[in-house]
Amino acid sequence: MMDTLIILILFAPLLGFLINGIFGKFVFKYAGWIATFMLFISATCSIFLLTYTLNNNVVYEKIFYSWMIVDKLKVDFGILIDNLSAIMTFVVSFVSFWIHFYSVEYMRKDESYARYFAYLNFFVFAMLLLVLANNYVLMFVGWEGVGLASYLLIGFWFKKQSATDAGNKAFIVNRIGDAGFLLGIFTIFAFFQSVNYLEVFKNAHLIDKSILFLIGILLFIGATGKSAQFPLYTWLPDAMEGPTPVSALIHAATMVTAGVYMVARSSPIYILSPEASFIVAFIGAFSAILAATMALVNNDIKRIIAYSTISQIGYMFVGVGVGAYWAGIFHLYTHAFFKALLFLGAGSVMHALKDNLDIRLMGGLSRKMKITWLTFLIGSLALSGIFPFAGFFSKDKIIEYAYLSNEVIFYLVLFGVFLTSFYIFRLFFLVFHTKPRDEKLYEHAHESNWIMTVPMIVLAFLSIVSGFAYASFENSLKYLPHVLFDKHPHIPIPIITQALAVFGIILAYLMYEKQIIPKAIGEFLPIKLIYKILYARWGILSDWYELFILRFLRWFSDIIYKFFDISIIDGIVRLFAFLSLAIGNGFRLLQDGKFSTYAILIILIFTFILYLLILS
């Protein structure tokens, strides 16, 4: 039974990819339903797998065949099922199913309808392979698969220059992170003589702490690329050039969650290296605040939600970084529902407003799009961490563990609560409330049909109830190594977080709904300066990246080219050419066609050989 479930979960999306990829021209009209049906199979089987695994605390490893055997390196095509992989499999396949369902209508008029669903199915297959793999090399195959799929889907509308540029940017930036991950795998094999999870984790305590620190940092470099954390986060906002359901898939179920899962899966390594874990947590907290500040002033509905993803992934890294792996994965679980909901809600708004993205041109949509308005409100409350919505339970647990772990990280993530509620309700009030700011767009607005609203309703329901599973979640993931805290918070963290979240909502309401905050405040020089800095995204893309990364890389590449390529590589080639020419010219002088010359050479060679024989 277990083997059958695994095969159906993993290979149903792959079959959908092959059908639509090969026969898309013939099944064009039904491509969406074919792809969605394959995800229905995968999602249904994942529910059975999750139920069985959690009830029995299963740790099941299945080796299908030996993929690579090179000297001491043995890599199997194998699957590892435990509570962690079962939870992730459910999240990936279940959320992806509803995104596929939504896409059937959203992409209906696109001329590349079948190609879109082929890519979408392949994306899910690659993510499931990443999650279910029993070793780092096979995980890396899935890791690269989601990178390829994201490149294809971000640049799906390849006739737009901005789309192809965004796809290239995502692919190139992720190569930097992937190089770190690959070096981490090499280091693991060098010291463990294996890449299999169970074998590596069993022997982790035997390895020197400095080596574990190196492995942890290298793996995390890979995670910062895939999960869009500082400094490799810059590709994610530009990834909004792809279709909106793709954004939902990348941000909620695939791609950006891969790094968090990889760190949680590698918990036996990180728990033995507190220094590496601290770096994970600190980078997560810093990314959470950095992205949230950028979302405060952005006017693109999709990019605001994209910055929100960077921020929330940062919270997840704080969870796994402070040793509360279950809390980080729990936030990944709840976030998948409300983030997919927010993106699908944004897609519904765009669908109604001729694909307009600028929230400054929207307004008053609550009167025309009741379902989208209500579901988006639920998603916004869940993201803000308002009780009893899902985000409250998962985010508060991370903040609680941060308080017990590190004071700086605690204050960063606490400040993030206020920023989160403010920027998402700024978006909410400007889009659904206030007076319409573009009458033509407003007149065109209409509610989406049932194929698009049903997934939003389902995800809205899960954004309300999924947080109540926190107790069973903690019990299910207790087997992961974790930091044991011998104390409890001395302050009422839930009350503080609720107060900050509500304050952010009220401030957004006063500024954008009621507009009673005096304009003079906006003209106040320090406020104006802060706004300009945030609007310029802290100058990171235009100034800091140019100064510290791009210029450095150009300078370093120039040195490598002039010194290494021209002097050494080309020099070696020219040296062999010179030696060959010199030797050839020397022998050519001897071949003058005269018998006397050849006779002298024969006598000299014979004399030399005879001399050697006498000496021996």
Side-chain angles (χ1 to χ4, degrees):
M1 171 188 166
M2 184 75 81
D3 290 353
T4 304
L5 288 175
I6 293 169
I7 290 170
L8 289 173
I9 290 169
L10 184 58
F11 292 107
L14 181 61
L15 180 60
F17 161 69
L18 293 174
I19 292 172
N20 283 324
I22 298 172
F23 305 107
K25 182 179 178 181
F26 306 101
V27 300
F28 184 88
K29 184 178 178 181
Y30 306 102
W33 292 116
I34 292 170
T36 304
F37 177 70
M38 293 304 171
L39 260 294
F40 175 76
I41 294 173
S42 188
T44 303
C45 292
S46 72
I47 294 172
F48 286 116
L49 180 68
L50 178 66
T51 304
Y52 178 78
T53 304
L54 294 185
N55 288 339
N56 298 280
N57 287 316
V58 171
V59 178
Y60 176 77
E61 187 176 28
K62 172 71 175 180
I63 307 297
F64 288 98
Y65 63 90
S66 292
W67 177 28
M68 288 189 290
I69 301 177
V70 181
D71 195 20
K72 295 179 180 180
L73 175 63
K74 182 176 182 291
V75 180
D76 298 315
F77 188 93
I79 300 299
L80 177 65
I81 299 294
D82 58 3
N83 290 352
L84 176 60
S85 60
I87 290 168
M88 282 295 298
T89 300
F90 165 73
V91 171
V92 171
S93 57
F94 185 81
V95 174
S96 297
F97 163 72
W98 289 110
I99 293 171
H100 276 68
F101 191 95
Y102 177 98
S103 297
V104 170
E105 174 62 23
Y106 189 88
M107 297 294 291
R108 181 170 54 87
K109 295 180 181 179
D110 196 279
E111 61 182 12
S112 300
Y113 190 66
R115 178 168 63 90
Y116 169 81
F117 280 101
Y119 290 168
L120 218 60
N121 268 188
F122 177 74
F123 206 164
V124 179
F125 162 73
M127 187 65 188
L128 288 171
L129 181 63
L130 184 158
V131 167
L132 292 171
N134 76 328
N135 63 79
Y136 282 103
V137 173
L138 192 58
M139 176 192 263
F140 189 74
V141 173
W143 192 272
E144 291 300 289
V146 295
L148 172 62
S150 67
Y151 165 76
L152 295 172
L153 285 165
I154 293 167
F156 179 75
W157 289 314
F158 56 84
K159 293 180 182 178
K160 288 171 56 182
Q161 185 64 41
S162 58
T164 56
D165 288 346
N168 290 335
K169 185 174 184 178
F171 196 76
I172 293 167
V173 171
N174 271 277
R175 297 291 68 74
I176 299 171
D178 294 354
F181 186 17
L182 200 56
L183 289 172
I185 296 174
F186 293 157
T187 309
I188 287 171
F189 176 71
F191 288 92
F192 289 91
Q193 299 299 299
S194 175
V195 292
N196 181 278
Y197 296 148
L198 299 182
E199 293 179 22
V200 170
F201 301 156
K202 181 177 65 176
N203 298 313
H205 66 284
L206 302 176
I207 304 298
D208 187 82
K209 293 289 181 67
S210 61
I211 300 301
L212 294 178
F213 172 78
L214 176 62
I215 291 170
I217 294 302
L218 290 172
L219 294 180
F220 184 59
I221 290 172
T224 58
K226 275 291 180 288
S227 295
Q229 297 295 282
F230 181 84
L232 300 180
Y233 70 92
T234 54
W235 66 270
L236 192 59
D238 291 340
M240 300 303 99
E241 291 292 338
T244 302
V246 170
S247 302
L249 193 63
I250 290 174
H251 290 247
T254 60
M255 191 71 170
V256 296
T257 61
V260 180
Y261 171 75
M262 186 260 283
V263 173
R265 172 58 73 195
S266 305
S267 55
I269 292 174
Y270 282 97
I271 205 73
L272 295 172
S273 180
E275 296 82 4
S277 295
F278 172 77
I279 291 173
V280 171
F282 182 78
I283 292 294
F286 181 76
S287 300
I289 297 301
L290 182 70
T293 57
M294 293 179 184
L296 292 175
V297 297
N298 202 283
N299 297 310
D300 184 309
I301 187 171
K302 287 174 67 177
R303 276 179 167 78
I304 294 171
I305 304 173
Y307 282 122
S308 167
T309 299
I310 298 171
S311 183
Q312 296 305 304
I313 295 290
Y315 276 91
M316 298 174 203
F317 276 117
V318 171
V320 297
V322 299
Y325 297 97
W326 79 269
I329 295 298
F330 185 43
H331 193 50
L332 184 156
Y333 167 78
T334 60
H335 175 265
F337 302 127
F338 60 74
K339 185 50 57 69
L341 172 60
L342 289 172
F343 266 113
L344 298 189
S348 181
V349 170
M350 291 170 58
H351 197 67
L353 301 182
K354 303 178 181 179
D355 289 329
N356 180 65
L357 291 165
D358 194 338
I359 61 175
R360 294 170 296 184
L361 302 178
M362 302 178 189
L365 295 182
S366 61
R367 296 189 288 275
K368 287 198 169 188
M369 306 176 70
K370 296 290 185 184
I371 297 175
T372 302
W373 168 77
L374 180 59
T375 53
F376 202 95
L377 174 61
I378 292 170
S380 300
L381 291 168
L383 175 63
S384 301
I386 299 296
F387 179 85
F389 298 90
F392 165 79
F393 296 94
S394 56
K395 194 187 293 184
D396 268 34
K397 283 295 177 184
I398 290 173
I399 295 172
E400 179 182 324
Y401 284 114
Y403 174 81
L404 298 172
S405 179
N406 184 278
E407 189 174 345
V408 174
I409 292 173
F410 167 69
Y411 284 115
L412 285 173
V413 294
L414 199 61
F415 182 48
V417 173
F418 162 73
L419 295 178
T420 301
S421 62
F422 179 79
Y423 71 66
I424 196 62
F425 274 92
R426 167 182 174 263
L427 183 156
F428 177 78
F429 290 130
L430 287 176
V431 172
F432 294 100
H433 294 269
T434 70
K435 293 180 180 179
R437 289 174 291 282
D438 189 315
E439 289 297 334
K440 289 184 179 179
L441 283 177
Y442 181 73
E443 289 300 321
H444 185 268
H446 56 86
E447 184 60 273
S448 303
N449 73 8
W450 69 273
I451 296 178
M452 291 173 63
T453 55
V454 166
M456 291 160 59
I457 293 169
V458 172
L459 291 169
F461 173 74
L462 290 169
S463 297
I464 298 172
V465 304
S466 60
F468 291 99
Y470 70 94
S472 59
F473 228 94
E474 184 175 9
N475 291 330
S476 300
L477 296 178
K478 265 185 177 177
Y479 71 97
L480 294 176
H482 54 278
V483 174
L484 294 173
F485 296 102
D486 56 358
K487 56 184 179 179
H488 297 283
H490 301 299
I491 57 175
I493 288 177
I495 295 175
I496 295 172
T497 58
Q498 290 299 283
L500 287 170
V502 170
F503 176 62
I505 294 171
I506 292 172
L507 186 61
Y509 175 78
L510 293 175
M511 290 182 66
Y512 299 102
E513 172 73 9
K514 291 300 181 181
Q515 298 183 349
I516 63 174
I517 303 295
K519 289 185 178 180
I521 293 178
E523 296 300 321
F524 185 51
L525 185 60
I527 300 293
K528 207 170 183 179
L529 182 61
I530 291 171
Y531 180 87
K532 286 184 177 180
I533 291 172
L534 297 183
Y535 192 76
R537 291 171 288 181
W538 293 94
I540 287 174
L541 291 185
S542 58
D543 300 323
W544 295 103
Y545 263 67
E546 174 69 25
L547 182 62
F548 291 109
I549 297 181
L550 298 181
R551 287 187 185 178
F552 170 76
L553 288 175
R554 291 191 193 106
W555 170 79
F556 185 68
S557 300
D558 197 46
I559 290 176
I560 293 296
Y561 168 70
K562 290 180 179 177
F563 175 73
F564 191 75
D565 278 13
I566 295 179
S567 300
I568 297 179
I569 301 297
D570 292 355
I572 291 172
V573 173
R574 286 194 296 269
L575 176 63
F576 277 104
F578 172 77
L579 291 175
S580 299
L581 183 63
I583 293 170
N585 287 335
F587 279 108
R588 187 167 57 190
L589 293 174
L590 297 175
Q591 296 178 356
D592 57 2
K594 296 179 179 179
F595 177 78
S596 58
T597 303
Y598 297 150
I600 292 171
L601 286 173
I602 292 171
I603 292 170
L604 289 174
I605 293 170
F606 179 76
T607 304
F608 180 70
I609 293 172
L610 186 62
Y611 174 74
L612 292 176
L613 291 173
I614 292 171
L615 288 179
S616 61

